[in-house]
Amino acid sequence: MYLVPFSMGPIGGQLSKNGVELTDSAYVAVSMRVMTRIGNAVLDCIRDQGEFIKCLHSVGRPLEDGAEDDAWPCNPEKVLIAHRPATNDILSFGSGYGGNSLLGKKCFALRIGSALAKKEVLIECFSLTFKILCSNIFSKDCNFPYSKYVACFLKKYVFF
């Protein structure tokens, strides 16, 4: 088994997202090294931030006693991929190649990422509106009613 802590973006970056993939595939472990930023620094970020996407992957072909390993193990008859944005986890069984095994890419960046973006875009839209409102209030040409009272409130309670 391979445990791969990874960062989508610069490690510790403001917009970066972290994840940990547990896999039984050497191909996945090596490919995640190529596709993402991995290592102990990512674990440190996860410890500091406390948030990460949990990824569990299996090729779905356990070796029987004495059986030889396939060159490309997978289980195409029983492929199961689950993206669960509510709990921030991804499960993949039976896939041995590509986006359904390299869970940091297609599964995380596109599918879970879009769910995270929906949550965060509401915060960002509010933040952007707030910034525009603040910049207008602090300008001398502001015609916003009660602008001086709002400006005092913002200075006292928001901008410290």
Side-chain angles (χ1 to χ4, degrees), residues 2 24-27 59 61-64 66-74:
Y2 303 91
D24 58 359
S25 169
Y27 160 78
V59 294
R61 294 271 310 261
L63 285 176
E64 302 293 328
E68 285 192 37
D69 199 0
D70 288 338
W72 202 264
C74 63

Side-chain angles (χ1 to χ4, degrees), residues 94-147:
S95 178
Y97 177 75
N100 289 329
S101 61
L102 302 172
L103 303 182
K105 287 298 185 182
K106 188 165 66 172
C107 298
F108 181 4
L110 296 178
R111 297 184 184 130
I112 298 293
S114 63
L116 290 172
K118 274 185 182 177
K119 293 177 198 172
E120 293 176 6
V121 79
L122 295 175
I123 295 167
E124 290 301 319
C125 284
F126 174 76
S127 178
L128 179 61
T129 304
F130 187 72
K131 286 176 186 174
I132 292 169
L133 177 65
C134 289
S135 66
N136 287 338
I137 288 171
F138 291 121
S139 89
K140 295 185 189 243
D141 301 326
C142 181
N143 293 324
F144 182 74
Y146 309 108
S147 61

Side-chain angles (χ1 to χ4, degrees), residues 6 10-11 17 19 45 58 62-63 71 73 77 80 82 87 114 117 123 128 134-135 142 150 159:
F6 64 92
I11 297 173
K17 301 294 180 196
C45 268
S58 173
L63 285 176
E77 293 84 31
L80 172 69
T87 55
S114 63
I123 295 167
L128 179 61
C134 289
S135 66
C142 181
V150 174
F159 300 116

Side-chain angles (χ1 to χ4, degrees), residues 5 9 11 17 22 34 47 55 63 71 76 78 81 83-85 92 99 120-121 133 138 148-149 154 156:
I11 297 173
K17 301 294 180 196
L22 180 63
V34 173
R47 275 189 216 106
C55 305
L63 285 176
K78 295 183 180 179
I81 314 294
H83 308 102
R84 301 178 352 166
S92 172
E120 293 176 6
V121 79
L133 177 65
F138 291 121
K148 71 177 185 178
Y149 301 111
L154 292 173
K156 184 172 184 180

